């Protein structure tokens, strides 16, 4: 039985990856940071199948212990301060967690189990003010946020450990990927949650920032397969994972609102609070290398993804509203 250590298992990707690896028969160790209120929402359904280890990305001793306990064949570093907008008000925290702590993870692996295969969650946000359309593995980086800058560090330190210590370290340059488990502050989920609340009469407007930004949005469940595939190859390498399509936030609104028979222009309000100090205007990835070498391809289209998210948010919001009504009557 192979074993895997996942840092960031409580997040969107960590939860899908854990499901995927459990299905493949892996022993899955999940590293989570201690919090006063535990956050198992995304992994509640598989919580008992996971070996839990307490650890924080900023604390090397805890990472060394996590690698020692799990003795992993594969290590997936998905943990990060992952919200771009939060990286301006918290640039140092973002740098500590999203950049420097990648070295902590790599050091823990190098010291305790240097033969383990390592996956680093790099990001299309590194392309920022894009130097080439579409973006591929060789496109130069031009990050536009403290988060993007931090991810560039994480990417290069992973390449450096591969080249310096002969470690099997891969960097997956993943374009935006979403799901019903996406955090509520990210634009896709903010929109699908807003659509559900508006449709059910619980909200009458949705406040957003820049509607012209374009992203290459895929389904997280498809993308975790690519992470695993990278670690099954004969040689470590870096890969772009994307859908090769781009859509604006405005198109996202059209798809989500029209699905429930509404017109987004009746509800959306532009709020300068959500406009960023520097924007990434356009992302679209060329994932031909991953298609060719990994045999990876996306299964869920953009429209299917957004409809899936609206459906799940309608169910959840309706259940929450019913519960609130029962509580109010009791
Ligand atoms: P996410 O939902 O925000 O999950 C982040 C995870 O990191 C959570 O489990 C979080 O734990 C954990 N974490 C944060 N700080 C930590 C710390 N100091 N120590 C230990 N764990 C910590 O992110 P995601 O969307 O799944 O993305 C996974 C990774 O891929 C991230 O590195 C992200 O930057 C990168 N990425 C994401 C996308 C995308 O579109 N989703 C695209 C490219 C790259 P808590 O639950 O305790 O907060
Ligand atoms: O959903 P977003 O917050 O995602 P963003 O900034 O593209 O970052 C995500 O994808 C990256 C990969 O490229 C990951 F590395 C990163 O961890 C994260 O998962 O914003 C998408 C776009 C932006 O252009 C933003 O300005 O939507 C625009 N937007 C417009 N109004 C908004 C809003 N974004 C948010 N979050 N909230 C708004 O109200």
């Amino acid at each position: 039985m192979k074993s895997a250590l996942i840092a960031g298992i409580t997040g969107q990707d960590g939860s899908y990856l854990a499901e995927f690896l459990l299905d493949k028969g892996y022993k899955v160790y999940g590293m989570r940071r201690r919090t006063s209120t535990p956050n198992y929402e995304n992994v509640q359904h598989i919580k008992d199948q996971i070996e839990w280890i307490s650890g924080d990305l900023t604390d090397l001793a805890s990472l060394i212990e996590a690698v020692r306990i799990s003795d992993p064949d594969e290590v997936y570093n998905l943990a990060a301060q992952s919200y771009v907008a939060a990286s301006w008000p918290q640039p140092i925290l973002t740098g500590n967690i999203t950049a420097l702590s990648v070295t902590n993870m790599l050091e823990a692996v190098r010291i305790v189990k240097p033969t383990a295969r390592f996956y680093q969650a790099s990001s299309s946000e590194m392309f920022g003010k894009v130097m080439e359309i579409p973006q591929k593995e060789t496109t130069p980086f031009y990050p536009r946020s403290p988060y993007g800058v931090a991810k560039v560090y994480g990417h290069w330190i992973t390449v450096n450990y591969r080249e310096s210590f002969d470690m099997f370290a891969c960097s997956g340059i993943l374009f935006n990927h979403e799901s019903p488990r996406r955090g509520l502050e990210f634009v896709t989920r903010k929109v699908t949650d807003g659509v559900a609340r508006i449709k059910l009469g619980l909200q009458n407007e949705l406040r957003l920032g820049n509607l012209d930004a374009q992203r290459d949005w895929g389904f997280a469940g498809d993308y975790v397969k690519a992470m695993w595939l990278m670690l099954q190859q004969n040689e470590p390498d870096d890969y772009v994972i994307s859908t090769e399509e781009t859509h604006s936030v405005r198109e996202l609104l059209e798809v989500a609102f029209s699905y429930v028979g509404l017109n987004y222009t009746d509800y959306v309000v532009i709020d300068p609070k959500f406009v960023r100090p520097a924007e990434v205007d356009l992302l679209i990835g060329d994932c031909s290398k991953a298609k060719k070498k990994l045999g990876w391809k996306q299964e869920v289209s953009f429209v299917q993804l957004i409809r899936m998210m609206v459906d799940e948010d309608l169910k959840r919001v309706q259940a929450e509203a019913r519960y609130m009504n029962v509580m109010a009557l009791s």
Side-chain angles (χ1 to χ4, degrees), residues 65-167:
E65 191 58 5
V67 178
R68 192 192 62 74
I69 294 168
S70 56
D71 187 27
D73 297 296
E74 296 167 13
V75 176
Y76 295 87
N77 181 30
L78 310 182
Q81 187 302 90
S82 74
Y83 186 40
V84 173
S87 74
W88 280 281
Q90 300 192 338
I92 296 168
L93 175 132
T94 302
N96 281 337
I97 297 178
T98 305
L100 199 54
S101 293
V102 182
T103 314
N104 282 343
M105 281 298 292
L106 284 160
E107 275 296 278
V109 174
R110 187 184 69 81
I111 292 165
V112 182
K113 181 109 192 250
T115 55
R117 297 184 168 204
F118 181 86
Y119 174 85
Q120 167 59 17
S122 291
S123 165
S124 53
E125 186 71 13
M126 301 189 299
F127 296 122
K129 189 170 179 178
V130 298
M131 307 298 282
E132 188 177 21
I133 298 172
Q135 298 85 50
K136 52 181 186 281
E137 291 80 3
T138 50
T139 303
F141 300 138
Y142 191 147
R144 293 274 280 171
S145 62
Y147 169 86
V149 173
K151 281 288 179 187
V152 171
Y153 175 91
H155 172 79
W156 282 117
I157 199 70
T158 301
V159 173
N160 182 260
Y161 268 55
R162 178 167 79 217
E163 293 175 355
S164 306
F165 303 115
D166 206 20
M167 283 171 60

Side-chain angles (χ1 to χ4, degrees), residues 266-311:
D266 295 335
Y267 303 97
V268 170
V269 176
I270 303 300
D271 186 335
K273 191 168 76 186
F274 298 110
V275 176
R276 298 176 178 181
E279 179 61 285
V280 171
D281 295 320
L282 165 76
L283 290 175
I284 178 164
D286 169 355
C287 65
S288 43
K289 177 175 169 184
K291 281 181 177 161
K292 189 166 164 232
K293 295 204 168 173
L294 305 178
W296 178 85
K297 64 173 170 48
Q298 74 171 110
E299 307 282 341
V300 177
S301 73
F302 172 67
V303 171
Q304 286 171 330
L305 168 67
I306 301 308
R307 290 183 174 178
M308 175 208 305
M309 292 173 70
V310 171
D311 283 336

Side-chain angles (χ1 to χ4, degrees), residues 10-13 33 39 56-57 78 80 82 147 151 174 177:
T10 54
Q12 172 188 256
D13 292 7
R33 50 182 170 170
N39 159 30
D56 192 294
L57 224 56
L78 310 182
S82 74
Y147 169 86
K151 281 288 179 187
L174 271 50
H177 45 280

Side-chain angles (χ1 to χ4, degrees), residues 191 194-195 197-201 203-208 211 253 257-258 260-270:
V191 167
V195 164
R197 287 177 191 284
I198 290 168
K199 183 68 184 172
L200 296 171
Q203 188 172 309
N204 53 23
E205 65 174 27
L206 179 61
R207 303 185 83 82
L208 293 169
L211 306 191
L253 288 167
F257 277 83
S258 66
V260 297
L262 300 175
N263 183 341
Y264 81 90
T265 57
D266 295 335
Y267 303 97
V268 170
V269 176
I270 303 300

Side-chain angles (χ1 to χ4, degrees), residues 205-273:
E205 65 174 27
L206 179 61
R207 303 185 83 82
L208 293 169
N210 175 17
L211 306 191
D212 295 319
Q214 290 174 266
R215 290 290 181 278
D216 179 331
W217 278 298
F219 171 51
D222 289 342
Y223 284 39
V224 299
K225 290 180 198 157
M227 299 175 186
W228 176 79
L229 282 167
M230 287 179 212
L231 299 199
Q232 312 313 309
Q233 304 306 303
N234 290 332
E235 298 296 332
D237 206 344
D238 309 320
Y239 297 89
V240 158
I241 302 296
S242 66
T243 70
E244 306 189 322
E245 269 181 36
T246 194
H247 299 275
S248 64
V249 175
R250 212 179 289 282
E251 285 173 72
L252 158 68
L253 288 167
E254 273 160 13
V255 171
F257 277 83
S258 66
Y259 184 46
V260 297
L262 300 175
N263 183 341
Y264 81 90
T265 57
D266 295 335
Y267 303 97
V268 170
V269 176
I270 303 300
D271 186 335
K273 191 168 76 186

